């Protein structure tokens, strides 16, 4: 299941200011809004939320063929300020090209500071209270934009209207003072009130889901034991009780004791109606002899959908025979990833309760709903599980070896008090044979690849700087306690060019 991304869009960062923001497609028509916005943020190009790796999909320039554009009516709204970020800045410049857009600052900035030129212009309002420079991540695309003589600017403002643009991303953690800039926009310029809270969101979302589903319909949803699907399942259960059916597909590629833990947490602790489908033999059987990474991913993904579909049909049949139980009409999924054929084929409708939220918000919502802190702070785990953490064929024996090594590693990270400092960690397996010596005997075993990264957005990541003594202890324990391993390595590659998973 695709993980919710970290805050990667400016509107969501506004939640940190307790300002209510709604994320809408940039092509939304003003006439379709059922509220009057206090202000509008045109955010940067987007991520492909349906792609397991959250690939940036742009658009990268407003001049691209088919690039989406905002409804021009927004620009004519009286007294409704607009802030364009990156692509949004381009959109403003493109839309108002014939109008009077002036530059607040013009400078060549690499990995550097952005110092607003004080023109006594509107753009000053965006930088109010920010003396000197603000550090910004140098957008890679800037050079590209510089081909365009209309856009050599890092920040712009309209001469008369409250329309602003900034090329850098104020919402990302690499712009430490970006939040002040967003506050200037949302609170000072738009006059937004700072009264949004996660508990009010939670209450409203429960009511929204209840109304959407109606009094009789049943809902099914896949869970994995990760924070996103658990929080979504808990929210659904709060809204409609046991008319929500959670399904955990055990693909045989989960972590040590994970299936049992999910059962305990979801069913016993959180009161979620849960069915566990043990499909490990089917998955491992289908993966037999397969080495190519993308083929492995496809097999796992397709089989998951087949099994989830079978379960949906089974639950629907059961519901038909239960007095007063309505039809299964809805499926929940956190973000993307469900094929259209399931929606079309079974006539199901899709609920995505976390679609609006980003990782830290999902965590906060989880806390509101009583999800235990250990689960709330759990590192993300990919849908294909250990399958993408084994280089080579995933035989049951290899999966078990990777599972044991991972368990030791994570346990040691927890014991060292490092778990919450690290964004994601695991032990993967290279199934090449490496030589080792035990006593006076040489033996061949697999290679364990330890990974631990720090990241805020999972698009870029740095290897965690462990103390060598810690790594030595991990290596000793893994080689001694897990049979079949002769060598332990630590993967220090940052992302990019590396990825977080092995395959
Ligand atoms: P990479 O390996 O692309 O991973 O650097 C970035 C983040 O995405 C997770 N990931 C996946 N999550 N299904 C998922 O649900 C997948 O197929 C998948 N592949 C990668 C990965 O764990 C990391 O958090």
């Amino acid at each position: 299941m695709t993980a919710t991304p970290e805050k990667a869009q400016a509107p969501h960062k506004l939640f940190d200011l307790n300002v209510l923001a709604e994320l809408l497609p940039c092509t939304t028509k003003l006439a379709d809004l059922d509220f009057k916005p206090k202000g509008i943020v045109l955010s940067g190009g987007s991520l492909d939320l349906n792609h397991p790796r959250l690939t940036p999909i742009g658009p990268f320039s407003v001049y691209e063929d088919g690039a989406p554009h905002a409804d021009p009516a927004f620009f004519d709204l009286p007294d409704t300020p607009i802030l364009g970020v990156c692509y949004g800045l381009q959109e403003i410049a493109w839309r108002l090209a014939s109008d009077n857009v002036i530059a607040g600052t013009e400078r060549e900035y690499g990995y550097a500071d952005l110092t607003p030129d004080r023109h006594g212009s509107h753009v000053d309002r965006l930088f109010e209270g920010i003396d000197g420079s603000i550090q910004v991540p140098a957008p890679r695309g800037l050079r590209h934009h510089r081909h365009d003589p209309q856009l050599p600017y890092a920040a712009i403002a309209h001469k008369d209207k409250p329309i602003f643009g900034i090329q850098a991303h104020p919402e990302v953690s690499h712009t430490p003072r970006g939040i002040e800039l967003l506050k200037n926009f949302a609170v000072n310029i738009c006059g937004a009130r700072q009264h949004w809270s996660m508990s009010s969101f939670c209450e409203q979302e429960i009511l929204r889901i209840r109304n959407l589903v109606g009094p009789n319909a049943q809902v099914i949803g896949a869970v994995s034991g990760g924070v996103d699907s658990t929080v979504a399942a808990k929210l659904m259960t709060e809204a409609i009780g046991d008319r929500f059916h959670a399904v955990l597909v055990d693909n045989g590629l989960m972590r040590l004791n994970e299936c049992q833990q999910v059962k305990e947490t979801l069913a016993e602790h959180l009161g979620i109606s849960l069915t566990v489908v043990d499909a490990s033999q089917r998955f491992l059987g289908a993966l037999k002899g397969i080495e190519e990474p993308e083929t492995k991913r496809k097999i796992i993904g397709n089989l998951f959908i087949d099994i989830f579909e079978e379960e949906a049909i089974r639950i629907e049949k059961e519901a038909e025979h239960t007095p007063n139980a309505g039809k299964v009409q809805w499926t929940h999924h956190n973000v993307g990833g469900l094929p259209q054929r399931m929606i079309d084929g079974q006539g199901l409708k899709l609920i995505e309760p976390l679609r609006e939220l980003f990782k830290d918000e999902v965590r906060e919502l989880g806390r509101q709903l009583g999800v235990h802190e250990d689960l709330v702070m759990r590192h993300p785990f990919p849908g294909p599980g250990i399958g993408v953490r084994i280089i080579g064929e995933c035989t049951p024996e290899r999966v078990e070896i990777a599972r044991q090594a991972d368990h030791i590693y994570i346990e040691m990270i927890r014991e060292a008090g490092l778990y919450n400092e690290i964004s994601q960690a695991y032990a993967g397996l290279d199934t090449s044979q490496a030589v080792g010596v035990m006593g006076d005997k040489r033996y061949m075993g697999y290679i364990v690849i330890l990974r631990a990264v720090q990241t805020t957005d999972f698009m870029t990541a740095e290897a965690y700087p462990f103390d060598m003594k810690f790594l030595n202890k991990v290596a000793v324990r893994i080689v001694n306690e897990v049979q079949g391993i002769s060598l332990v390595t630590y993967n220090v590659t940052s992302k990019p060019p590396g990825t977080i998973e092995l395959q």
Side-chain angles (χ1 to χ4, degrees):
M1 209 177 277
T2 313
T4 50
E6 299 286 321
K7 268 181 192 134
Q9 297 284 359
H12 280 93
K13 197 72 184 170
L14 295 172
F15 288 160
D16 285 357
L17 296 164
N18 299 108
V19 168
L20 174 63
E22 231 178 285
L23 190 66
L24 297 167
C26 67
T27 46
T28 303
K29 297 273 174 262
L30 174 64
D32 293 338
L33 294 190
D34 54 8
F35 59 92
K36 183 183 176 311
K38 283 216 167 240
I40 295 162
V41 179
L42 301 173
S43 57
S46 54
L47 304 172
D48 183 355
L49 295 179
N50 287 319
H51 190 282
R53 299 200 130 140
L54 299 174
T55 320
I57 47 171
F60 303 105
S61 162
V62 287
Y63 299 102
E64 267 177 32
D65 278 349
H69 294 289
D71 181 356
F74 285 114
F75 291 84
D76 295 329
L77 268 177
D79 308 321
T80 307
I82 299 179
L83 172 66
V85 173
C86 193
Y87 183 91
L89 172 144
Q90 291 185 48
E91 175 71 6
I92 290 170
W94 178 83
R95 178 68 63 194
L96 306 177
S98 57
D99 222 328
N100 276 312
V101 178
I102 56 153
T105 175
E106 176 184 3
R107 46 187 306 118
E108 178 131 0
Y109 67 107
Y111 290 86
D113 296 334
L114 191 155
T115 314
D117 295 339
R118 303 292 173 176
H119 279 202
S121 73
H122 261 353
V123 85
D124 279 357
R125 298 177 65 196
L126 213 50
F127 291 90
E128 211 173 295
I130 306 176
D131 295 329
S133 314
I134 62 167
Q135 193 196 0
V136 294
R140 286 205 174 149
L142 191 66
R143 261 187 217 111
H144 174 72
H145 301 318
R146 289 183 67 85
H147 292 180
D148 178 351
Q150 292 179 69
L151 267 182
Y153 303 117
I156 61 171
H158 192 280
K159 183 163 80 58
D160 306 313
K161 301 179 186 173
I163 298 180
F164 307 86
I166 176 155
Q167 181 65 57
H169 286 264
E171 70 280 12
V172 298
S173 58
H174 292 99
T175 310
R177 302 195 68 180
I179 192 80
E180 293 171 55
L181 195 142
L182 286 174
K183 186 175 178 198
N184 282 343
F185 176 72
V187 180
N188 300 352
I189 296 172
C190 301
R193 285 194 290 157
Q194 293 177 279
H195 64 181
W196 181 88
S197 72
M198 188 51 86
S199 64
S200 60
F201 171 84
C202 185
E203 279 165 27
Q204 281 163 13
E205 196 55 17
I206 288 172
L207 290 179
R208 189 186 72 85
I209 294 168
R210 220 171 262 163
N211 287 334
L212 199 65
V213 174
N216 298 314
Q218 313 263 329
V219 183
I220 51 161
V223 289
S224 65
V227 57
D228 296 338
S229 64
T230 305
V231 173
K234 180 64 183 162
L235 192 66
M236 294 303 304
T237 304
E238 287 293 313
I240 59 165
D242 59 9
R243 285 190 289 131
F244 172 70
H245 307 268
V247 176
L248 172 71
V249 177
D250 178 359
N251 58 11
L253 300 164
M254 292 166 75
R255 287 164 288 191
L256 193 70
N257 304 330
E258 188 161 24
C259 205
Q260 187 53 33
Q261 273 168 13
V262 175
K263 267 195 219 166
E264 279 165 23
T265 312
L266 269 70
E268 291 164 29
H269 173 57
L270 295 172
I272 295 167
S273 153
L274 173 74
T275 305
V276 180
V277 186
D278 180 0
S280 45
Q281 300 296 330
R282 276 174 80 177
F283 277 88
L284 292 171
L287 289 170
K288 197 162 189 298
I290 309 294
E291 292 188 6
E292 207 277 315
E294 283 305 310
T295 313
K296 278 202 268 183
R297 275 177 173 276
K298 273 202 194 100
I299 290 174
I300 298 169
N302 290 341
L303 199 49
F304 171 83
I305 296 297
D306 287 349
I307 292 169
F308 187 58
E309 202 169 9
E310 289 165 17
E311 251 341 89
I313 293 169
R314 192 190 60 75
I315 291 172
E316 178 152 13
K317 285 221 172 93
E318 251 178 46
E320 275 169 18
H321 294 115
T322 312
N324 304 326
K327 201 172 147 34
V328 176
Q329 284 184 343
W330 297 84
T331 178
H332 101 68
H333 209 268
N334 39 357
V335 205
L338 209 63
Q340 197 58 34
R341 81 156 202 254
M342 238 191 114
I343 315 275
D344 299 339
Q346 274 179 262
L348 294 180
K349 290 175 258 181
L350 185 64
I351 303 179
E352 293 167 292
L354 309 183
R355 179 118 211 152
E356 298 268 309
L357 301 184
F358 281 72
K359 197 82 185 187
D360 52 353
E361 291 152 8
V362 174
R363 291 192 159 126
E364 189 47 40
L365 178 60
R367 289 186 188 104
Q368 295 279 336
L369 290 164
V371 178
H372 196 270
E373 190 63 18
D374 277 357
L375 208 163
V376 160
M377 290 311 291
R378 205 157 187 216
H379 291 173
F381 185 64
I386 294 177
V388 286
R389 295 178 171 180
I390 293 182
I391 300 178
E393 187 189 343
C394 295
T395 63
E397 176 231 6
R398 292 170 175 184
V399 171
E400 195 47 40
I401 290 177
R403 193 176 268 151
Q404 299 284 346
D406 182 72
H407 185 70
I408 293 172
Y409 180 46
I410 299 297
E411 189 180 77
M412 292 183 77
I413 287 178
R414 281 193 191 279
E415 281 167 8
L418 301 174
Y419 190 83
N420 288 349
E421 258 184 57
I422 293 168
S423 312
Q424 196 168 352
Y426 67 87
L429 204 65
D430 178 345
T431 60
S432 314
Q433 293 282 290
V435 70
V437 240
M438 198 74 84
D440 52 3
K441 261 204 188 141
R442 280 157 64 84
Y443 71 100
M444 289 296 182
Y446 299 129
I447 302 166
V448 163
I449 302 174
L450 304 176
R451 188 77 161 132
V453 294
Q454 284 183 308
T455 171
T456 50
D457 55 11
F458 293 85
M459 300 292 295
T460 58
E462 296 295 330
Y464 185 77
F466 283 120
D467 182 340
M468 268 310 288
K469 282 190 196 136
F470 173 81
L471 288 174
N472 287 343
K473 281 191 210 148
V474 175
V476 168
R477 263 197 73 185
I478 289 180
V479 175
N480 283 341
E481 294 176 33
V482 188
Q483 271 211 351
I485 291 169
S486 56
L487 199 154
V488 176
T489 64
Y490 182 53
N491 177 359
V492 294
T493 324
S494 58
K495 174 183 177 176
T499 56
I500 294 171
E501 302 297 344
L502 276 183
Q503 293 204 318

